[in-house]
Short mmCIF file of all heavy atoms in Angstrom, two decimals:
data_model
loop_
_atom_site.label_atom_id
_atom_site.label_comp_id
_atom_site.label_asym_id
_atom_site.label_seq_id
_atom_site.Cartn_x
_atom_site.Cartn_y
_atom_site.Cartn_z
N LYS A 18 0.82 -1.21 0.00
CA LYS A 18 0.00 0.00 0.00
C LYS A 18 0.86 1.27 0.00
O LYS A 18 0.32 2.37 -0.14
CB LYS A 18 -0.93 0.00 1.22
CG LYS A 18 -1.93 -1.13 1.25
CD LYS A 18 -2.81 -1.05 2.48
CE LYS A 18 -3.81 -2.19 2.52
NZ LYS A 18 -4.67 -2.12 3.75
N TRP A 19 2.15 1.07 0.19
CA TRP A 19 3.05 2.22 0.28
C TRP A 19 4.30 1.89 -0.54
O TRP A 19 5.26 1.36 0.00
CB TRP A 19 3.41 2.49 1.75
CG TRP A 19 3.91 3.88 1.98
CD1 TRP A 19 5.08 4.41 1.55
CD2 TRP A 19 3.26 4.92 2.71
NE1 TRP A 19 5.20 5.71 1.95
CE2 TRP A 19 4.10 6.05 2.66
CE3 TRP A 19 2.05 5.00 3.39
CZ2 TRP A 19 3.77 7.25 3.29
CZ3 TRP A 19 1.72 6.19 4.00
CH2 TRP A 19 2.56 7.30 3.95
N PRO A 20 4.29 2.16 -1.82
CA PRO A 20 5.40 1.74 -2.68
C PRO A 20 6.72 2.37 -2.27
O PRO A 20 6.77 3.47 -1.73
CB PRO A 20 4.96 2.20 -4.07
CG PRO A 20 3.98 3.30 -3.81
CD PRO A 20 3.28 2.93 -2.55
N ALA A 21 7.78 1.63 -2.54
CA ALA A 21 9.12 2.14 -2.23
C ALA A 21 9.42 3.34 -3.12
O ALA A 21 9.06 3.36 -4.30
CB ALA A 21 10.15 1.05 -2.46
N PRO A 22 10.06 4.38 -2.57
CA PRO A 22 10.40 5.54 -3.40
C PRO A 22 11.40 5.16 -4.48
O PRO A 22 12.31 4.37 -4.26
CB PRO A 22 11.03 6.51 -2.37
CG PRO A 22 11.46 5.65 -1.23
CD PRO A 22 10.50 4.52 -1.17
N LYS A 23 11.17 5.69 -5.65
CA LYS A 23 12.07 5.40 -6.77
C LYS A 23 13.34 6.23 -6.63
O LYS A 23 13.27 7.45 -6.47
CB LYS A 23 11.37 5.71 -8.10
CG LYS A 23 10.16 4.83 -8.37
CD LYS A 23 9.50 5.21 -9.69
CE LYS A 23 8.28 4.33 -9.95
NZ LYS A 23 7.61 4.71 -11.23
N ARG A 24 14.46 5.56 -6.69
CA ARG A 24 15.74 6.25 -6.56
C ARG A 24 16.43 6.25 -7.92
O ARG A 24 16.71 5.21 -8.50
CB ARG A 24 16.62 5.58 -5.52
CG ARG A 24 17.94 6.29 -5.29
CD ARG A 24 18.74 5.63 -4.17
NE ARG A 24 20.02 6.26 -3.97
CZ ARG A 24 20.25 7.32 -3.23
NH1 ARG A 24 19.23 7.88 -2.58
NH2 ARG A 24 21.45 7.84 -3.09
N TYR A 25 16.67 7.44 -8.43
CA TYR A 25 17.32 7.57 -9.74
C TYR A 25 18.80 7.21 -9.63
O TYR A 25 19.49 7.62 -8.69
CB TYR A 25 17.16 9.01 -10.23
CG TYR A 25 17.99 9.32 -11.45
CD1 TYR A 25 17.72 8.71 -12.67
CD2 TYR A 25 19.05 10.22 -11.39
CE1 TYR A 25 18.48 8.99 -13.79
CE2 TYR A 25 19.81 10.52 -12.50
CZ TYR A 25 19.53 9.89 -13.70
OH TYR A 25 20.28 10.16 -14.80
N ARG A 26 19.27 6.45 -10.60
CA ARG A 26 20.68 6.08 -10.66
C ARG A 26 21.31 6.81 -11.84
O ARG A 26 21.06 6.47 -13.00
CB ARG A 26 20.84 4.57 -10.83
CG ARG A 26 20.27 3.78 -9.65
CD ARG A 26 20.54 2.29 -9.79
NE ARG A 26 19.96 1.55 -8.69
CZ ARG A 26 20.54 1.40 -7.49
NH1 ARG A 26 21.72 1.96 -7.27
NH2 ARG A 26 19.94 0.71 -6.54
N PRO A 27 22.12 7.84 -11.56
CA PRO A 27 22.69 8.65 -12.65
C PRO A 27 23.77 7.88 -13.41
O PRO A 27 24.32 6.89 -12.91
CB PRO A 27 23.30 9.84 -11.90
CG PRO A 27 23.63 9.30 -10.55
CD PRO A 27 22.54 8.31 -10.23
N PRO A 28 24.08 8.29 -14.64
CA PRO A 28 25.19 7.68 -15.38
C PRO A 28 26.47 7.81 -14.55
O PRO A 28 26.79 8.90 -14.05
CB PRO A 28 25.27 8.53 -16.66
CG PRO A 28 23.95 9.19 -16.77
CD PRO A 28 23.43 9.37 -15.40
N THR A 29 27.16 6.70 -14.38
CA THR A 29 28.31 6.66 -13.49
C THR A 29 29.50 6.03 -14.19
O THR A 29 29.35 5.08 -14.96
CB THR A 29 27.97 5.86 -12.21
OG1 THR A 29 26.84 6.46 -11.58
CG2 THR A 29 29.14 5.87 -11.24
N GLU A 30 30.67 6.57 -13.91
CA GLU A 30 31.90 6.08 -14.52
C GLU A 30 32.98 5.99 -13.45
O GLU A 30 33.06 6.85 -12.56
CB GLU A 30 32.34 7.03 -15.64
CG GLU A 30 33.63 6.66 -16.33
CD GLU A 30 34.04 7.69 -17.38
OE1 GLU A 30 33.24 8.60 -17.65
OE2 GLU A 30 35.16 7.58 -17.90
N LEU A 31 33.78 4.96 -13.52
CA LEU A 31 34.91 4.81 -12.59
C LEU A 31 36.20 5.01 -13.37
O LEU A 31 36.42 4.37 -14.40
CB LEU A 31 34.89 3.41 -11.97
CG LEU A 31 36.08 3.07 -11.05
CD1 LEU A 31 36.10 3.97 -9.82
CD2 LEU A 31 36.04 1.59 -10.65
N ILE A 32 37.03 5.92 -12.90
CA ILE A 32 38.32 6.14 -13.55
C ILE A 32 39.44 5.98 -12.53
O ILE A 32 39.24 6.15 -11.33
CB ILE A 32 38.41 7.53 -14.23
CG1 ILE A 32 38.34 8.65 -13.17
CG2 ILE A 32 37.31 7.70 -15.28
CD1 ILE A 32 38.57 10.04 -13.77
N THR A 33 40.62 5.67 -13.03
CA THR A 33 41.80 5.51 -12.18
C THR A 33 42.81 6.59 -12.53
O THR A 33 43.14 6.79 -13.70
CB THR A 33 42.44 4.12 -12.40
OG1 THR A 33 41.46 3.11 -12.11
CG2 THR A 33 43.63 3.93 -11.47
N LEU A 34 43.23 7.31 -11.51
CA LEU A 34 44.18 8.41 -11.71
C LEU A 34 45.34 8.28 -10.74
O LEU A 34 45.19 7.73 -9.64
CB LEU A 34 43.49 9.77 -11.48
CG LEU A 34 42.38 10.17 -12.44
CD1 LEU A 34 41.75 11.48 -11.97
CD2 LEU A 34 42.90 10.32 -13.86
N PRO A 35 46.51 8.80 -11.11
CA PRO A 35 47.61 8.84 -10.15
C PRO A 35 47.32 9.89 -9.07
O PRO A 35 46.87 10.99 -9.38
CB PRO A 35 48.82 9.24 -11.00
CG PRO A 35 48.24 9.96 -12.17
CD PRO A 35 46.91 9.31 -12.43
N GLU A 36 47.54 9.55 -7.83
CA GLU A 36 47.26 10.49 -6.75
C GLU A 36 48.27 11.63 -6.79
O GLU A 36 49.48 11.41 -6.87
CB GLU A 36 47.32 9.78 -5.40
CG GLU A 36 46.87 10.64 -4.24
CD GLU A 36 46.73 9.86 -2.95
OE1 GLU A 36 47.04 8.64 -2.95
OE2 GLU A 36 46.32 10.46 -1.94
N GLY A 37 47.76 12.86 -6.75
CA GLY A 37 48.63 14.03 -6.83
C GLY A 37 48.32 15.04 -5.76
O GLY A 37 47.42 14.85 -4.93
N PRO A 38 49.03 16.17 -5.76
CA PRO A 38 48.84 17.18 -4.71
C PRO A 38 47.55 17.99 -4.87
O PRO A 38 47.06 18.56 -3.91
CB PRO A 38 50.07 18.08 -4.87
CG PRO A 38 50.46 17.93 -6.31
CD PRO A 38 50.13 16.53 -6.68
N GLU A 39 47.00 18.06 -6.10
CA GLU A 39 45.80 18.85 -6.33
C GLU A 39 44.57 18.10 -5.86
O GLU A 39 44.56 16.87 -5.77
CB GLU A 39 45.66 19.19 -7.82
CG GLU A 39 46.73 20.14 -8.35
CD GLU A 39 46.52 20.45 -9.81
OE1 GLU A 39 46.32 19.49 -10.59
OE2 GLU A 39 46.53 21.63 -10.17
N ARG A 40 43.49 18.86 -5.55
CA ARG A 40 42.25 18.22 -5.15
C ARG A 40 41.71 17.38 -6.29
O ARG A 40 41.96 17.66 -7.48
CB ARG A 40 41.23 19.23 -4.65
CG ARG A 40 40.85 20.33 -5.61
CD ARG A 40 39.95 21.33 -4.92
NE ARG A 40 38.77 20.67 -4.36
CZ ARG A 40 38.09 21.12 -3.29
NH1 ARG A 40 38.48 22.22 -2.69
NH2 ARG A 40 37.02 20.47 -2.85
N VAL A 41 40.95 16.37 -5.96
CA VAL A 41 40.53 15.38 -6.94
C VAL A 41 39.70 16.00 -8.07
O VAL A 41 39.80 15.59 -9.24
CB VAL A 41 39.76 14.23 -6.24
CG1 VAL A 41 38.47 14.74 -5.61
CG2 VAL A 41 39.49 13.10 -7.21
N GLU A 42 38.89 17.02 -7.78
CA GLU A 42 38.07 17.64 -8.82
C GLU A 42 38.95 18.28 -9.90
O GLU A 42 38.60 18.22 -11.10
CB GLU A 42 37.15 18.70 -8.21
CG GLU A 42 36.11 18.16 -7.25
CD GLU A 42 36.61 18.12 -5.82
OE1 GLU A 42 37.83 18.32 -5.61
OE2 GLU A 42 35.79 17.90 -4.91
N ILE A 43 40.03 18.90 -9.50
CA ILE A 43 40.93 19.54 -10.47
C ILE A 43 41.60 18.49 -11.33
O ILE A 43 41.77 18.68 -12.55
CB ILE A 43 41.98 20.40 -9.73
CG1 ILE A 43 41.29 21.47 -8.87
CG2 ILE A 43 42.92 21.06 -10.72
CD1 ILE A 43 40.43 22.43 -9.63
N GLN A 44 41.97 17.38 -10.73
CA GLN A 44 42.60 16.30 -11.51
C GLN A 44 41.63 15.73 -12.53
O GLN A 44 42.01 15.44 -13.67
CB GLN A 44 43.10 15.21 -10.57
CG GLN A 44 44.22 15.67 -9.66
CD GLN A 44 44.77 14.54 -8.81
OE1 GLN A 44 45.27 13.56 -9.32
NE2 GLN A 44 44.64 14.68 -7.50
N VAL A 45 40.38 15.54 -12.11
CA VAL A 45 39.37 15.03 -13.05
C VAL A 45 39.11 16.04 -14.17
O VAL A 45 38.94 15.66 -15.33
CB VAL A 45 38.07 14.67 -12.31
CG1 VAL A 45 36.97 14.30 -13.31
CG2 VAL A 45 38.30 13.53 -11.34
N ALA A 46 39.09 17.32 -13.84
CA ALA A 46 38.89 18.35 -14.86
C ALA A 46 39.99 18.29 -15.91
O ALA A 46 39.71 18.35 -17.13
CB ALA A 46 38.85 19.73 -14.21
N SER A 47 41.23 18.13 -15.49
CA SER A 47 42.35 18.01 -16.45
C SER A 47 42.20 16.75 -17.30
O SER A 47 42.46 16.76 -18.51
CB SER A 47 43.68 17.98 -15.69
OG SER A 47 43.87 19.17 -14.97
N HIS A 48 41.78 15.67 -16.65
CA HIS A 48 41.57 14.40 -17.36
C HIS A 48 40.50 14.57 -18.45
O HIS A 48 40.67 14.10 -19.59
CB HIS A 48 41.15 13.33 -16.35
CG HIS A 48 40.73 12.03 -16.95
ND1 HIS A 48 41.63 11.11 -17.44
CD2 HIS A 48 39.48 11.50 -17.14
CE1 HIS A 48 40.95 10.06 -17.91
NE2 HIS A 48 39.65 10.27 -17.73
N LEU A 49 39.38 15.23 -18.11
CA LEU A 49 38.29 15.41 -19.07
C LEU A 49 38.69 16.35 -20.19
O LEU A 49 38.28 16.16 -21.36
CB LEU A 49 37.04 15.91 -18.35
CG LEU A 49 36.40 14.94 -17.36
CD1 LEU A 49 35.23 15.61 -16.64
CD2 LEU A 49 35.93 13.67 -18.08
N GLU A 50 39.44 17.38 -19.88
CA GLU A 50 39.91 18.29 -20.93
C GLU A 50 40.78 17.54 -21.94
O GLU A 50 40.68 17.76 -23.16
CB GLU A 50 40.70 19.45 -20.31
CG GLU A 50 39.84 20.48 -19.63
CD GLU A 50 40.64 21.67 -19.14
OE1 GLU A 50 41.86 21.52 -18.87
OE2 GLU A 50 40.06 22.76 -19.01
N HIS A 51 41.63 16.66 -21.43
CA HIS A 51 42.51 15.89 -22.32
C HIS A 51 41.69 14.97 -23.22
O HIS A 51 41.96 14.86 -24.44
CB HIS A 51 43.49 15.07 -21.48
CG HIS A 51 44.37 14.17 -22.29
ND1 HIS A 51 45.40 14.64 -23.08
CD2 HIS A 51 44.35 12.80 -22.45
CE1 HIS A 51 45.98 13.62 -23.69
NE2 HIS A 51 45.37 12.50 -23.32
N LEU A 52 40.67 14.31 -22.65
CA LEU A 52 39.87 13.37 -23.44
C LEU A 52 38.99 14.07 -24.47
O LEU A 52 38.77 13.55 -25.57
CB LEU A 52 38.99 12.53 -22.51
CG LEU A 52 39.70 11.51 -21.61
CD1 LEU A 52 38.68 10.78 -20.75
CD2 LEU A 52 40.50 10.50 -22.45
N SER A 53 38.45 15.23 -24.09
CA SER A 53 37.46 15.90 -24.96
C SER A 53 38.06 16.98 -25.83
O SER A 53 37.38 17.53 -26.70
CB SER A 53 36.36 16.51 -24.11
OG SER A 53 36.88 17.60 -23.34
N ASP A 54 39.32 17.31 -25.55
CA ASP A 54 39.97 18.43 -26.25
C ASP A 54 39.17 19.73 -26.06
O ASP A 54 39.12 20.58 -26.95
CB ASP A 54 40.12 18.11 -27.74
CG ASP A 54 41.15 19.01 -28.42
OD1 ASP A 54 42.06 19.49 -27.70
OD2 ASP A 54 41.04 19.24 -29.64
N GLY A 55 38.50 19.84 -24.91
CA GLY A 55 37.68 21.02 -24.64
C GLY A 55 38.12 21.72 -23.37
O GLY A 55 39.30 21.66 -22.97
N SER A 56 37.17 22.41 -22.73
CA SER A 56 37.45 23.15 -21.50
C SER A 56 36.59 22.59 -20.38
O SER A 56 35.41 22.29 -20.58
CB SER A 56 37.14 24.64 -21.68
OG SER A 56 37.92 25.19 -22.73
N CYS A 57 37.19 22.46 -19.21
CA CYS A 57 36.46 21.95 -18.05
C CYS A 57 36.78 22.85 -16.86
O CYS A 57 37.94 23.15 -16.59
CB CYS A 57 36.85 20.51 -17.76
SG CYS A 57 35.77 19.71 -16.54
#
């Protein structure tokens, strides 16, 4: 009588990067710029 709430599962990707001094978001931004040849 009380259905379970639907939980959306967004598109998800797992990547492996070398650990560096910069915060992880900045490292991922550089990674995406390299792959897309764009700006992140």
Side-chain angles (χ1 to χ4, degrees):
K18 297 180 181 179
W19 200 292
K23 296 179 181 179
R24 183 176 177 85
Y25 170 66
R26 298 184 182 278
T29 303
E30 178 183 352
L31 176 64
I32 65 174
T33 302
L34 295 175
E36 188 171 3
E39 292 181 311
R40 57 186 304 153
V41 64
E42 296 90 349
I43 302 300
Q44 294 184 61
V45 173
S47 298
H48 172 77
L49 294 176
E50 285 185 334
H51 176 72
L52 291 179
S53 68
D54 198 26
S56 301
C57 191

